[in-house]
Amino acid sequence: MVELEQTRLMLENLGLSQAAITLDSHLDYAARSEITYLEFINRLLKDEADFRRKRSEETRLKLSRLPHKKTLDEFDFSFQPSLDERQIRELATLSFIHRQENVILLGPPGVGKSHIAIGLAVEAIRQGLSVYFVSMDKLLDDLRRANNEGRLHHRWKVYQRPGLLVIDEIGYSQLDRVSGNLFFQLICSRYEKGSMILTSNKGFGEWGDLMGDVPLATAILDRLLHHAHVVNIRGQSYRIKARVKASGSVIPQQFQGDMSNGVVNS
Ligand code: ADP
Ligand code: MG
């Protein structure tokens, strides 16, 4: 059928590649179920639109550099009573991103800070936004290297462009003067322009020590906290819960044994 081939080719040339692929089956279905012309074109175009949405979501997921895909549905709120589930559900509507506000998740290791940050990031990707995830150490390594090589201007774009920037694990390493200044510049560049989610095991009172410079830490916090939702998680580590369940002890199995003389039997 010449017409069929022509139609398929036109769909392809117009960039409607999925519609070109599914044209046959839609024609079959239309003939069998006697749907209207409008229904037919509607179904064909919906296929194309769904396919594009999915492909764009996959691309944004890949570009986000999320370490893994965790969703908020996988988060057990009953394990973390200090956490206000309603607040997290409200954040998951992502209105904070549309208002260029920040989310700062604080708490000891294992309480689910990264999980929640990733869960919110996945939600943002689902809703069509661009996201970039980076750990604090990697971010500073990257900025320092770019600074030394004179390509800082180019690298800024990576951190300025996304609708949501997630900086995970602030507080594990001390910042030197150059790193502190680069971090300050980054915070300034996104201030009131783009949302960030930050996670830290250090309370704000310890950020002065962390940055090795109290006035700098104050200036950073001043901007970060101006429009921010601070979520303090005070519970137990979920990693320890998983360990207790598996082995009946909070001590990892390889470290269990006679520790009375300071020697760990493994
Ligand atoms: P943090 O970033 O606070 O150190 P993570 O978010 O990395 O902690 O959590 C450690 C591990 O435990 C992850 O695999 C995470 O998915 C899981 N986890 C933490 N809290 C919960 C929870 N309340 N429900 C389900 N899984 C959780
Ligand atoms: Mg973490």
Side-chain angles (χ1 to χ4, degrees):
M1 269 204 292
V2 178
E3 268 174 351
L4 178 62
E5 267 323 300
Q6 272 184 348
T7 309
R8 215 194 321 266
L9 200 63
M10 280 192 283
L11 287 171
E12 263 168 24
N13 290 342
L14 288 166
L16 303 168
S17 57
Q18 183 67 8
I21 291 169
T22 56
L23 179 62
D24 269 349
S25 63
H26 280 292
L27 284 170
D28 266 3
Y29 179 79
R32 271 187 285 114
S33 51
E34 296 179 357
I35 54 174
T36 62
Y37 298 122
L38 185 61
E39 265 178 89
F40 165 76
I41 196 76
N42 187 286
R43 293 174 74 95
L44 185 71
L45 292 178
K46 189 173 177 305
D47 237 18
E48 177 71 35
D50 287 349
F51 172 79
R52 285 189 186 195
R53 196 173 312 115
K54 198 159 158 274
R55 195 177 49 186
S56 142
E57 193 177 310
E58 280 164 8
T59 306
R60 273 177 291 110
L61 189 63
K62 216 180 280 169
L63 291 175
S64 72
R65 307 275 174 99
L66 285 180
H68 37 246
K69 198 175 168 185
K70 292 254 164 154
T71 63
L72 291 175
D73 288 340
E74 295 166 70
F75 195 84
D76 178 6
F77 284 92
S78 68
F79 182 75
Q80 222 46 272
S82 73
L83 197 57
D84 181 359
E85 180 172 354
R86 252 196 342 202
Q87 185 189 17
I88 304 300
R89 297 275 171 221
E90 163 59 28
L91 291 174
T93 65
L94 306 182
S95 51
F96 77 97
I97 297 183
H98 301 295
R99 293 194 297 258
Q100 285 86 42
E101 295 167 352
N102 301 320
V103 172
I104 305 175
L105 296 152
L106 300 176
V111 293
K113 301 181 298 296
S114 301
H115 187 136
I116 292 173
I118 293 169
L120 291 171
V122 167
E123 200 49 45
I125 291 170
R126 279 184 186 152
Q127 293 200 22
L129 296 161
S130 57
V131 171
Y132 194 79
F133 179 102
V134 68
S135 71
M136 181 70 157
D137 284 355
K138 220 168 145 206
L139 167 77
L140 294 176
D141 273 356
D142 183 43
L143 291 179
R144 264 195 316 254
R145 190 169 314 131
N147 192 32
N148 290 339
E149 294 169 5
R151 349 170 249 109
L152 197 54
H153 182 71
H154 179 69
R155 286 309 286 171
W156 278 137
K157 290 187 193 132
V158 174
Y159 303 106
Q160 282 171 352
R161 213 180 279 149
L164 174 66
L165 176 67
V166 184
I167 306 176
D168 196 27
E169 298 190 333
I170 297 176
Y172 285 103
S173 332
Q174 194 91 18
L175 272 63
D176 58 26
R177 180 165 288 278
V178 174
S179 301
N181 276 310
L182 288 167
F183 186 56
F184 177 61
Q185 282 184 60
L186 175 66
I187 299 303
C188 289
S189 78
R190 286 194 70 95
Y191 176 60
E192 294 187 332
K193 289 199 198 84
S195 270
M196 286 181 284
I197 299 180
L198 278 64
T199 81
S200 180
N201 62 336
K202 296 270 194 303
F204 296 133
E206 298 167 89
W207 282 38
D209 276 348
L210 185 68
M211 314 272 164
D213 183 334
V214 174
L216 182 71
T218 309
I220 288 172
L221 286 172
D222 190 47
R223 282 158 185 81
L224 276 182
L225 296 176
H226 186 193
H227 312 284
H229 306 260
V230 178
V231 181
N232 244 305
I233 315 178
R234 277 184 222 88
Q236 223 197 354
S237 164
Y238 195 84
R239 294 191 188 104
I240 288 179
K241 171 200 137 137
R243 223 176 280 149
V244 171
K245 216 168 147 194
S247 69
S249 167
V250 297
I251 304 166
Q253 214 137 35
Q254 68 268 33
F255 298 135
Q256 285 176 29
D258 179 16
M259 294 177 69
S260 54
N261 58 359
V263 177
V264 179
N265 297 330
S266 56

